[in-house]
Amino acid sequence: MAEDQAKPAGPNLTQGIPLADLADGAMLVGHVGDEEVLLARQGREVFAVGAHCTHYHGPLAEGLVVDGTVRCPWHHACFSLRTGEAVRAPALNPLDCWSVQQRDGKIFVTEKKPASRPAPRAGTAEPPGRIVIVGGGAAGFAAAEMLRRRQYQGSIVMLSDDDAAPVDRPNLSKDYLAGNAPEEWVPLRSDDYYAENAIDLRLRINVTGIDPRRREVQLSDGGSVPYDRLLLASGAEPIRLNIPGAGEPHVHTLRSLADSRAIIERAKVAHRAVVIGASFIGLEVAAALRARKIEVHVVAPEKRPMERILGPDMGDLVRRLHEENGVVFHLEDAPVAIDGKRVRLKGGAALEADLVVMGVGVRPRIELAEKAGLAIDRGVVVNAFLETSAPGVFAAGDIVRWPDAHGGEAIRVEHWVVAERQGQTAVLNMLGQREEFDAVPFFWSQHYDMPINYLGHAERWDELAVDGDIAGKDCLVRYKSKGRTLAVASIFRDIASLREEVALERTRAAPSA
């Protein structure tokens, strides 16, 4: 029985399958030896690539084929069917590719193709010799990786104030925090990767200033780093409430690997936790701590968790799911002090807690941009190419306010996938590509066994169009304004979510008058 389960899925593709079995736009999973292979057809062409997403191993056969690419159903990574390249984050590694032959009305998959690197794209100018990246998060790492992927030959210096090399931050509040993922899954690359790819990663470095005129970055030790192009990707920092006791050692925020490690260590001896804030991060922390069998209370000022983003019915579902898993909510309330092991609330209650986690949002780290005289508007202002107001300085990630082609307004969002994609686009533009950043924002959140996928951006809406059953955890919700869909949230509607993403991509807002 175990041997049967170990067998790869589908037909042996080296022996061929009828071409008629694979309709145009369709996919099929088979195997070559012990490896599962995805066949995908577009018109007369048939492609053979690895069957699983290189991000979190999602089943690509359950995704969507679009314009020569395949999109993952889980977190919307996108791969070229022709080359296997991960053309959109969150996946960064390529898929393997196999050679395909068509003869006698059948499709045969033959040998695996050797790995290839994408050819450098011809830019409009000589590439810069020195690129400096300020920040070691999603945008910064994705930028450095894309530069080397595109065979950029100049120097790359990445300056990070973190103790750790770039990590998969979404895992810090999900599986890793819950104890379901080992720490070796957390780094985005091995320590050797940076030296092998000539990326000068400098950790525990405090950048104190940027001089756009002299084109240099100033450091706290008095040194400086010159640049020809600069990517400002300084990210955001978690907000710590200004209340008595907020600095106590058992009170934590969550942003870095060190933060997650500290919460895990405290959780080993904790019995009762209070999570302040019913944000996505706050509730993911609550779910992770419940997985560790800790009693969890959530304190938040709103009437329903996440109602502002997801609407009332989705908010009620999220609350019910957490309550079914043992979380106790204290809504329409707020902490006023942390007195030893007690969290005192505005409403008069006092909650015992030997672990407190604040998940009340983050603040974009725009101080460097402000000091350098860059244009600021509740974030660092950039154009469609992610250029700031200073020549040679680009910005990406949580700090950026950019012109959203879909909603028609300048927006700033704090999504991991958006930051990665912006980092990639920014450095391609540094190399002279002149590509507009027009990706539809996407994020996902995990609550026990229920994933929530969210596309687009809707700060306000006048209509919620529901397809399916929200209470039954099987739904797709469109957030509309004046009849136009601005955002889409879904639960267990992966293929529908991908189709909505394509529809949003093909719908651009009318230019402002």
Side-chain angles (χ1 to χ4, degrees):
M1 192 73 176
E3 290 182 3
D4 291 341
Q5 292 175 349
K7 290 181 179 178
N12 183 345
L13 298 177
T14 64
Q15 297 178 1
I17 65 166
L19 178 62
D21 288 355
L22 192 65
D24 187 13
M27 293 181 284
L28 177 151
V29 174
H31 66 274
V32 174
D34 293 331
E35 296 186 86
E36 292 189 352
V37 175
L38 177 75
L39 280 184
R41 180 176 176 182
Q42 284 234 288
R44 295 182 178 181
E45 288 192 284
V46 178
F47 303 96
V49 297
H52 295 279
C53 179
T54 60
H55 177 229
Y56 284 176
H57 208 64
L60 294 178
E62 297 175 18
L64 190 66
V65 172
V66 182
D67 298 333
T69 67
V70 59
R71 303 191 185 195
C72 178
W74 288 2
H75 307 127
H76 293 216
C78 183
F79 301 88
S80 167
L81 288 169
R82 191 172 301 281
T83 67
E85 182 185 1
V87 294
R88 287 190 187 176
L92 298 171
N93 296 331
L95 299 173
D96 289 330
C97 296
W98 281 259
S99 296
V100 177
Q101 296 178 1
Q102 295 186 45
R103 61 179 185 270
D104 302 325
K106 298 184 76 174
I107 304 166
F108 296 86
V109 178
T110 57
E111 73 276 8
K112 184 186 290 188
K113 296 179 181 180
S116 61
R117 301 186 71 177
R121 299 185 192 176
T124 58
E126 188 71 18
R130 302 169 299 184
I131 292 178
V132 173
I133 299 168
V134 176
F141 176 79
E145 190 276 338
M146 179 59 75
L147 285 168
R148 290 302 185 226
R149 190 197 305 184
R150 293 294 174 191
Q151 301 182 47
Y152 169 67
Q153 299 300 309
S155 75
I156 302 173
V157 177
M158 183 186 296
L159 305 171
S160 172
D161 62 358
D162 207 327
D163 296 328
V167 298
D168 181 26
R169 186 174 294 133
N171 229 327
L172 300 183
S173 60
K174 299 179 175 72
D175 285 345
Y176 174 65
L177 185 60
N180 299 325
E183 188 162 308
E184 53 261 34
W185 288 9
V186 174
L188 288 172
R189 286 289 189 273
S190 68
D191 290 341
D192 296 338
Y193 168 84
Y194 301 94
E196 290 171 355
N197 288 273
I199 297 171
D200 184 3
L201 172 62
R202 306 182 192 180
L203 301 176
R204 296 176 290 277
I205 294 293
N206 185 18
V207 176
T208 57
I210 299 166
D211 189 334
R213 185 181 58 82
R214 299 180 63 181
R215 295 206 172 199
E216 66 177 23
V217 173
Q218 297 147 354
L219 309 180
S220 60
D221 63 2
S224 63
V225 182
Y227 67 84
D228 296 310
R229 298 289 184 275
L230 172 67
L231 178 65
L232 189 56
S234 47
E237 58 189 4
I239 295 170
R240 188 177 286 267
L241 294 179
N242 185 21
I243 58 174
E248 291 288 327
H250 66 297
V251 181
H252 300 266
T253 57
L254 176 55
R255 183 71 177 178
S256 66
L257 176 58
D259 294 337
S260 194
R261 284 173 174 161
I263 294 170
I264 289 169
E265 283 304 307
R266 189 74 188 186
K268 291 177 180 178
V269 296
H271 300 285
R272 194 176 192 193
V274 169
V275 176
I276 300 172
S279 63
F280 284 102
I281 292 294
L283 292 184
E284 286 178 354
V285 168
L289 294 178
R290 287 298 299 136
R292 292 178 175 272
K293 309 301 182 185
I294 296 172
E295 182 180 339
V296 177
H297 293 248
V298 173
V299 179
E302 55 263 49
K303 184 177 180 180
R304 296 180 177 90
M306 296 185 286
E307 179 178 8
R308 183 181 64 82
I309 298 172
L310 298 176
D313 292 341
M314 288 274 273
D316 285 340
L317 169 63
V318 169
R319 175 177 179 170
R320 175 168 59 84
L321 179 63
H322 280 271
E323 288 178 335
E324 288 171 353
N325 282 274
V327 173
V328 179
F329 283 92
H330 304 265
L331 299 174
E332 299 182 274
D333 212 337
V336 293
I338 300 170
D339 182 8
K341 298 298 178 64
R342 286 191 173 187
V343 179
R344 300 191 181 278
L345 305 186
K346 185 177 181 180
L351 304 176
E352 297 290 333
D354 39 19
L355 169 60
V356 178
V357 181
M358 292 189 179
V360 294
V362 296
R363 183 182 296 110
R365 301 173 67 182
I366 62 174
E367 296 85 359
L368 285 173
E370 288 179 312
K371 286 172 59 178
L374 304 186
I376 302 292
D377 177 15
R378 295 165 295 157
V380 179
V381 175
V382 296
N383 62 17
F385 304 102
L386 302 177
E387 298 168 307
T388 71
S389 58
V393 180
F394 293 71
D398 294 352
I399 63 172
V400 164
R401 183 169 294 277
W402 84 95
D404 178 33
H406 311 284
E409 298 179 351
I411 63 173
R412 188 184 70 81
V413 299
E414 297 156 358
H415 305 337
W416 176 259
V417 174
V418 172
E420 288 183 305
R421 293 177 179 177
Q422 285 181 339
Q424 293 172 331
T425 298
V427 294
L428 290 177
N429 288 330
M430 289 183 185
L431 302 182
Q433 298 303 307
R434 302 303 290 172
E435 292 187 8
E436 290 189 14
F437 181 75
D438 60 0
V440 174
F442 170 81
F443 74 86
W444 80 94
S445 186
Q446 188 74 31
H447 304 262
Y448 311 99
D449 63 345
M450 187 182 80
I452 300 174
N453 284 356
Y454 186 95
L455 290 164
H457 184 76
E459 294 188 6
R460 54 195 170 275
W461 60 83
D462 55 31
E463 179 187 357
L464 291 180
V466 179
D467 180 9
D469 180 12
I470 292 178
K473 296 190 287 188
D474 176 22
C475 63
L476 185 141
V477 181
R478 296 178 181 88
Y479 302 82
K480 297 185 173 185
S481 178
K482 299 178 182 177
R484 187 165 176 270
T485 299
L486 299 178
V488 180
S490 62
I491 300 172
F492 294 119
R493 293 286 186 99
D494 290 343
I495 193 68
S497 178
L498 286 172
R499 288 179 177 136
E500 291 290 330
E501 181 178 51
V502 174
L504 286 172
E505 287 171 355
R506 294 174 177 172
T507 305
R508 294 173 69 98
S512 300

Coordinates of all heavy atoms in Angstrom, one line a residue, residues 309-382:
I309 N -11.9 45.8 6.3 CA -11.3 45.3 5.1 C -12.2 44.3 4.4 O -12.4 44.4 3.1 CB -9.9 44.7 5.3 CG1 -9.0 45.7 5.9 CG2 -9.4 44.0 4.1 CD1 -7.7 45.1 6.4
L310 N -12.8 43.5 5.1 CA -13.6 42.3 4.6 C -15.1 42.5 4.6 O -15.8 41.7 4.0 CB -13.2 41.0 5.3 CG -11.7 40.6 5.2 CD1 -11.5 39.4 6.0 CD2 -11.3 40.4 3.8
G311 N -15.6 43.4 5.4 CA -17.0 43.6 5.5 C -17.6 42.8 6.7 O -16.9 42.0 7.3
P312 N -18.9 43.1 7.1 CA -19.4 42.5 8.3 C -19.5 41.0 8.3 O -19.3 40.3 9.3 CB -20.8 43.2 8.5 CG -21.1 43.7 7.1 CD -19.8 44.0 6.4
D313 N -20.0 40.4 7.2 CA -20.3 39.0 7.2 C -19.0 38.2 7.3 O -18.9 37.2 8.0 CB -21.1 38.6 6.0 CG -22.5 39.1 6.0 OD1 -23.0 39.5 7.1 OD2 -23.1 39.2 5.0
M314 N -18.0 38.6 6.5 CA -16.7 37.9 6.6 C -16.0 38.1 8.0 O -15.4 37.2 8.6 CB -15.7 38.5 5.5 CG -16.1 38.0 4.1 SD -15.4 36.4 3.7 CE -13.8 36.9 3.1
G315 N -16.2 39.3 8.6 CA -15.7 39.6 9.9 C -16.4 38.7 10.9 O -15.7 38.1 11.8
D316 N -17.7 38.4 10.8 CA -18.4 37.5 11.7 C -17.9 36.1 11.5 O -17.7 35.4 12.5 CB -19.9 37.5 11.4 CG -20.6 38.8 12.0 OD1 -20.0 39.5 12.8 OD2 -21.7 39.1 11.5
L317 N -17.6 35.7 10.3 CA -17.1 34.3 10.1 C -15.7 34.2 10.7 O -15.4 33.2 11.4 CB -16.9 34.1 8.6 CG -16.2 32.8 8.2 CD1 -16.9 31.6 8.7 CD2 -16.0 32.7 6.7
V318 N -14.8 35.2 10.6 CA -13.5 35.1 11.2 C -13.6 35.0 12.7 O -12.9 34.2 13.3 CB -12.6 36.3 10.8 CG1 -11.4 36.4 11.6 CG2 -12.3 36.3 9.3
R319 N -14.5 35.8 13.3 CA -14.7 35.7 14.7 C -15.2 34.3 15.1 O -14.6 33.7 16.1 CB -15.7 36.8 15.2 CG -16.0 36.7 16.7 CD -16.9 37.8 17.2 NE -17.1 37.6 18.6 CZ -17.7 38.5 19.4 NH1 -18.2 39.6 18.9 NH2 -17.9 38.2 20.7
R320 N -16.2 33.8 14.4 CA -16.8 32.5 14.8 C -15.7 31.4 14.7 O -15.6 30.5 15.6 CB -17.9 32.2 13.9 CG -18.5 30.8 14.1 CD -19.9 30.6 13.4 NE -19.8 30.9 12.0 CZ -19.4 29.9 11.1 NH1 -19.1 28.7 11.5 NH2 -19.4 30.2 9.8
L321 N -14.9 31.5 13.6 CA -13.9 30.4 13.5 C -12.9 30.5 14.6 O -12.5 29.4 15.2 CB -13.2 30.7 12.1 CG -12.0 29.7 11.8 CD1 -12.6 28.3 11.7 CD2 -11.3 30.1 10.5
H322 N -12.4 31.6 15.0 CA -11.5 31.7 16.1 C -12.2 31.3 17.4 O -11.5 30.6 18.3 CB -10.9 33.1 16.2 CG -9.8 33.4 15.2 ND1 -8.5 33.2 15.5 CD2 -9.9 33.9 14.0 CE1 -7.8 33.5 14.5 NE2 -8.6 33.9 13.5
E323 N -13.4 31.7 17.6 CA -14.1 31.3 18.9 C -14.3 29.8 18.9 O -14.1 29.1 20.0 CB -15.4 32.0 19.0 CG -15.3 33.5 19.3 CD -16.6 34.2 19.4 OE1 -17.6 33.7 18.7 OE2 -16.7 35.2 20.1
E324 N -14.5 29.1 17.8 CA -14.7 27.7 17.7 C -13.3 27.0 18.1 O -13.3 25.8 18.5 CB -15.1 27.2 16.3 CG -16.6 27.6 16.0 CD -16.9 27.3 14.6 OE1 -16.0 27.0 13.8 OE2 -18.1 27.4 14.2
N325 N -12.2 27.7 17.9 CA -10.9 27.2 18.2 C -10.4 27.7 19.6 O -9.2 27.6 19.9 CB -9.9 27.5 17.1 CG -10.1 26.6 15.9 OD1 -9.5 25.5 15.8 ND2 -10.9 27.0 14.9
G326 N -11.3 28.3 20.3 CA -11.0 28.6 21.7 C -10.6 30.0 22.0 O -10.3 30.3 23.2
V327 N -10.5 30.9 21.0 CA -10.1 32.3 21.3 C -11.3 33.0 21.9 O -12.4 32.9 21.5 CB -9.7 32.9 20.0 CG1 -9.4 34.4 20.2 CG2 -8.5 32.3 19.4
V328 N -10.9 33.8 22.9 CA -11.9 34.7 23.6 C -11.7 36.1 23.1 O -10.6 36.7 23.3 CB -11.8 34.6 25.1 CG1 -12.8 35.5 25.8 CG2 -12.0 33.1 25.6
F329 N -12.8 36.7 22.6 CA -12.7 38.1 22.1 C -13.2 39.1 23.2 O -14.1 38.9 23.9 CB -13.5 38.3 20.9 CG -12.8 37.7 19.6 CD1 -13.1 36.4 19.2 CD2 -11.9 38.5 18.9 CE1 -12.5 35.9 18.1 CE2 -11.3 38.0 17.8 CZ -11.6 36.7 17.3
H330 N -12.5 40.3 23.2 CA -12.9 41.4 24.0 C -12.9 42.6 23.1 O -12.0 43.4 23.0 CB -12.0 41.7 25.2 CG -11.8 40.5 26.1 ND1 -12.5 40.3 27.2 CD2 -10.9 39.4 25.9 CE1 -12.1 39.1 27.8 NE2 -11.2 38.6 27.0
L331 N -14.0 42.7 22.3 CA -14.2 43.7 21.3 C -14.8 45.0 21.8 O -15.4 45.0 22.9 CB -15.0 43.2 20.1 CG -14.4 41.9 19.4 CD1 -15.3 41.3 18.4 CD2 -13.0 42.2 18.8
E332 N -14.6 46.1 21.0 CA -15.1 47.4 21.5 C -14.5 47.7 22.8 O -15.1 48.3 23.7 CB -16.6 47.5 21.5 CG -17.2 47.3 20.1 CD -18.7 47.4 20.1 OE1 -19.4 46.4 20.4 OE2 -19.2 48.5 19.8
D333 N -13.2 47.4 23.0 CA -12.5 47.6 24.2 C -11.0 47.9 23.8 O -10.6 47.7 22.7 CB -12.6 46.5 25.2 CG -12.6 46.9 26.6 OD1 -12.0 48.0 26.9 OD2 -13.1 46.2 27.5
A334 N -10.2 48.3 24.8 CA -8.8 48.6 24.5 C -8.0 48.5 25.8 O -8.5 48.8 26.9 CB -8.7 50.0 23.9
P335 N -6.7 48.2 25.7 CA -5.9 48.1 26.9 C -5.5 49.5 27.3 O -5.3 50.4 26.5 CB -4.7 47.3 26.5 CG -4.6 47.6 25.0 CD -6.0 47.8 24.5
V336 N -5.4 49.8 28.6 CA -5.0 51.0 29.2 C -3.7 50.9 29.9 O -3.0 51.9 30.1 CB -6.1 51.7 30.1 CG1 -7.3 52.1 29.2 CG2 -6.5 50.8 31.2
A337 N -3.4 49.7 30.3 CA -2.1 49.5 31.1 C -1.8 48.0 31.1 O -2.7 47.1 31.1 CB -2.2 50.0 32.5
I338 N -0.5 47.7 31.2 CA -0.1 46.3 31.5 C 0.6 46.3 32.8 O 1.7 46.9 32.9 CB 0.8 45.8 30.3 CG1 0.1 45.8 29.0 CG2 1.3 44.4 30.6 CD1 1.0 45.5 27.8
D339 N 0.0 45.8 33.8 CA 0.4 45.8 35.2 C 0.9 44.5 35.6 O 0.2 43.6 36.0 CB -0.7 46.3 36.0 CG -0.3 46.4 37.5 OD1 0.9 46.3 37.8 OD2 -1.2 46.7 38.3
G340 N 2.2 44.2 35.4 CA 2.8 42.9 35.6 C 2.1 41.9 34.7 O 2.2 42.1 33.4
K341 N 1.5 40.9 35.2 CA 0.9 39.9 34.4 C -0.6 40.1 34.2 O -1.4 39.2 33.9 CB 1.1 38.5 35.1 CG 2.5 38.1 35.2 CD 3.2 37.9 33.9 CE 4.7 37.6 34.0 NZ 4.9 36.3 34.7
R342 N -1.0 41.4 34.3 CA -2.4 41.7 34.1 C -2.5 42.8 33.0 O -1.8 43.8 33.1 CB -3.1 42.2 35.3 CG -3.4 41.1 36.3 CD -4.3 41.6 37.4 NE -4.8 40.6 38.3 CZ -5.7 40.7 39.3 NH1 -6.2 41.9 39.5 NH2 -6.0 39.7 40.0
V343 N -3.4 42.6 32.1 CA -3.7 43.6 31.1 C -5.0 44.3 31.5 O -6.1 43.6 31.5 CB -3.8 43.0 29.6 CG1 -4.1 44.1 28.6 CG2 -2.5 42.3 29.3
R344 N -5.0 45.6 31.8 CA -6.2 46.3 32.3 C -6.8 46.9 31.1 O -6.1 47.6 30.3 CB -5.8 47.3 33.3 CG -5.2 46.7 34.6 CD -5.1 47.6 35.7 NE -4.4 47.0 36.9 CZ -5.1 46.2 37.7 NH1 -6.4 45.9 37.6 NH2 -4.4 45.6 38.7
L345 N -8.1 46.8 30.9 CA -8.9 47.3 29.8 C -9.7 48.5 30.2 O -10.0 48.8 31.3 CB -9.8 46.2 29.3 CG -9.2 44.8 28.9 CD1 -10.3 43.9 28.3 CD2 -8.0 45.0 28.0
K346 N -9.9 49.3 29.1 CA -10.7 50.5 29.3 C -12.1 50.3 29.9 O -12.6 51.0 30.7 CB -10.9 51.2 27.9 CG -11.5 52.6 28.0 CD -11.6 53.2 26.6 CE -12.2 54.5 26.6 NZ -12.2 55.1 25.2
G347 N -12.7 49.1 29.5 CA -14.0 48.8 30.1 C -14.0 48.3 31.5 O -15.1 48.0 32.1
G348 N -12.8 48.2 32.1 CA -12.8 47.8 33.5 C -12.2 46.4 33.8 O -11.9 46.1 35.0
A349 N -12.2 45.6 32.8 CA -11.8 44.2 33.1 C -10.3 44.2 33.2 O -9.5 45.1 32.7 CB -12.2 43.3 31.9
A350 N -9.8 43.1 33.8 CA -8.3 42.8 33.9 C -8.1 41.4 33.5 O -8.7 40.5 34.0 CB -7.8 43.1 35.3
L351 N -7.2 41.2 32.5 CA -7.0 39.9 31.9 C -5.6 39.4 32.3 O -4.6 40.1 32.2 CB -7.0 39.9 30.4 CG -8.3 40.5 29.7 CD1 -8.2 40.5 28.2 CD2 -9.5 39.6 30.1
E352 N -5.5 38.2 32.9 CA -4.3 37.6 33.3 C -3.5 37.2 32.0 O -4.1 36.7 31.1 CB -4.5 36.4 34.2 CG -5.1 36.7 35.5 CD -4.2 37.5 36.4 OE1 -3.0 37.3 36.3 OE2 -4.7 38.2 37.3
A353 N -2.2 37.5 31.9 CA -1.4 37.1 30.8 C 0.0 37.0 31.1 O 0.6 38.0 31.6 CB -1.7 38.2 29.7
D354 N 0.6 35.9 30.8 CA 2.1 35.8 30.9 C 2.8 35.9 29.6 O 4.0 35.8 29.5 CB 2.5 34.5 31.6 CG 1.7 33.3 31.2 OD1 1.0 33.3 30.1 OD2 1.7 32.3 31.9
L355 N 2.0 36.2 28.5 CA 2.5 36.6 27.2 C 1.5 37.6 26.6 O 0.3 37.3 26.6 CB 2.6 35.3 26.3 CG 2.9 35.5 24.8 CD1 4.2 36.3 24.6 CD2 2.9 34.2 24.1
V356 N 2.1 38.7 26.1 CA 1.3 39.7 25.4 C 1.9 40.0 24.0 O 3.1 40.2 24.0 CB 1.2 41.0 26.2 CG1 0.4 42.1 25.4 CG2 0.6 40.7 27.6
V357 N 1.1 40.0 23.0 CA 1.6 40.3 21.7 C 0.7 41.4 21.1 O -0.5 41.4 21.1 CB 1.5 39.1 20.7 CG1 2.0 39.5 19.3 CG2 2.3 37.9 21.3
M358 N 1.4 42.5 20.7 CA 0.7 43.7 20.1 C 0.7 43.5 18.6 O 1.8 43.5 18.0 CB 1.4 45.0 20.5 CG 1.3 45.3 21.9 SD 1.9 47.0 22.3 CE 1.6 47.1 24.1
G359 N -0.5 43.4 18.0 CA -0.7 43.3 16.6 C -1.6 44.4 16.1 O -2.7 44.2 15.6
V360 N -1.2 45.7 16.3 CA -2.0 46.8 16.1 C -1.6 47.6 14.9 O -2.0 48.8 14.7 CB -2.1 47.8 17.3 CG1 -2.7 47.1 18.5 CG2 -0.7 48.2 17.7
G361 N -0.8 47.0 14.0 CA -0.4 47.6 12.7 C 1.0 48.0 12.7 O 1.8 47.8 13.7
V362 N 1.4 48.6 11.6 CA 2.8 49.0 11.4 C 2.9 50.4 10.9 O 1.9 51.0 10.5 CB 3.5 48.1 10.4 CG1 3.6 46.6 10.9 CG2 2.9 48.1 9.0
R363 N 4.1 51.0 11.0 CA 4.3 52.4 10.6 C 5.4 52.3 9.6 O 6.5 51.8 9.8 CB 4.7 53.2 11.8 CG 5.0 54.6 11.6 CD 5.5 55.3 12.8 NE 4.5 55.3 13.9 CZ 4.6 54.6 15.0 NH1 5.6 53.8 15.2 NH2 3.6 54.7 15.9
P364 N 5.1 52.9 8.4 CA 6.2 52.9 7.3 C 7.4 53.7 7.8 O 7.3 54.8 8.3 CB 5.5 53.5 6.1 CG 4.4 54.4 6.7 CD 3.9 53.6 7.9
R365 N 8.5 53.2 7.5 CA 9.8 53.8 7.9 C 10.2 54.8 6.8 O 11.1 54.4 5.9 CB 10.8 52.7 8.1 CG 10.4 51.7 9.2 CD 11.4 50.6 9.3 NE 12.7 51.0 9.8 CZ 13.7 50.2 10.0 NH1 13.6 48.9 9.7 NH2 14.9 50.6 10.5
I366 N 9.7 56.0 6.8 CA 10.0 56.9 5.8 C 10.9 58.0 6.2 O 11.1 59.0 5.5 CB 8.6 57.6 5.3 CG1 7.9 58.3 6.5 CG2 7.7 56.5 4.7 CD1 6.7 59.1 6.0
E367 N 11.5 57.9 7.4 CA 12.4 59.0 7.9 C 13.5 59.3 7.0 O 13.9 60.5 6.8 CB 12.9 58.6 9.3 CG 11.8 58.5 10.4 CD 11.1 57.1 10.4 OE1 11.5 56.2 9.5 OE2 10.2 56.9 11.2
L368 N 14.2 58.3 6.5 CA 15.3 58.5 5.5 C 14.9 59.3 4.3 O 15.6 60.2 3.9 CB 15.9 57.2 5.1 CG 16.8 56.4 6.1 CD1 17.1 55.0 5.6 CD2 18.0 57.2 6.5
A369 N 13.7 58.9 3.8 CA 13.2 59.7 2.6 C 12.9 61.1 3.0 O 13.2 62.0 2.2 CB 12.0 58.9 2.1
E370 N 12.3 61.3 4.1 CA 12.0 62.7 4.5 C 13.2 63.5 4.7 O 13.3 64.7 4.2 CB 11.2 62.6 5.9 CG 9.8 62.1 5.7 CD 9.1 62.1 7.1 OE1 9.6 61.6 8.0 OE2 7.9 62.6 7.1
K371 N 14.2 63.0 5.4 CA 15.5 63.7 5.6 C 16.2 64.0 4.3 O 16.9 65.1 4.1 CB 16.4 62.9 6.5 CG 16.0 62.9 8.0 CD 16.9 61.9 8.8 CE 18.3 62.3 8.7 NZ 19.2 61.3 9.5
A372 N 16.0 63.1 3.3 CA 16.7 63.3 2.0 C 15.9 64.3 1.1 O 16.4 64.6 0.0 CB 16.9 62.0 1.3
G373 N 14.7 64.7 1.6 CA 14.0 65.7 0.8 C 13.1 65.1 -0.3 O 12.7 65.8 -1.2
L374 N 12.9 63.8 -0.3 CA 12.0 63.1 -1.3 C 10.6 63.5 -1.0 O 10.2 63.8 0.1 CB 12.2 61.6 -1.2 CG 13.6 61.0 -1.3 CD1 13.5 59.5 -1.3 CD2 14.3 61.5 -2.5
A375 N 9.8 63.5 -2.1 CA 8.4 63.8 -2.0 C 7.7 62.7 -1.1 O 7.9 61.5 -1.3 CB 7.7 63.8 -3.4
I376 N 6.9 63.2 -0.2 CA 6.2 62.4 0.8 C 4.7 62.7 0.8 O 4.3 63.9 0.8 CB 6.8 62.5 2.2 CG1 8.3 62.3 2.3 CG2 6.0 61.7 3.2 CD1 8.6 60.8 2.0
D377 N 3.9 61.7 0.8 CA 2.4 61.8 1.0 C 1.9 60.6 1.7 O 1.5 59.6 1.0 CB 1.8 62.1 -0.4 CG 0.2 62.2 -0.2 OD1 -0.3 62.3 0.9 OD2 -0.5 62.0 -1.2
R378 N 2.0 60.5 3.0 CA 1.6 59.3 3.7 C 2.4 58.1 3.2 O 1.9 57.0 3.2 CB 0.1 59.1 3.7 CG -0.7 60.2 4.4 CD -2.2 60.1 4.0 NE -2.3 60.4 2.6 CZ -3.4 60.0 1.8 NH1 -4.3 59.2 2.4 NH2 -3.5 60.3 0.5
G379 N 3.6 58.3 2.8 CA 4.5 57.3 2.2 C 5.4 58.0 1.2 O 5.3 59.2 1.0
V380 N 6.3 57.2 0.7 CA 7.2 57.8 -0.3 C 6.5 57.8 -1.7 O 6.1 56.8 -2.2 CB 8.5 57.0 -0.4 CG1 9.5 57.6 -1.4 CG2 9.2 56.9 1.0
V381 N 6.4 59.0 -2.3 CA 5.7 59.1 -3.5 C 6.6 58.6 -4.7 O 7.8 59.0 -4.8 CB 5.3 60.6 -3.8 CG1 4.7 60.7 -5.2 CG2 4.4 61.0 -2.7
V382 N 6.1 57.7 -5.5 CA 6.8 57.3 -6.7 C 5.9 57.4 -7.9 O 4.7 57.5 -7.8 CB 7.3 55.8 -6.5 CG1 8.3 55.7 -5.4 CG2 6.1 54.9 -6.3

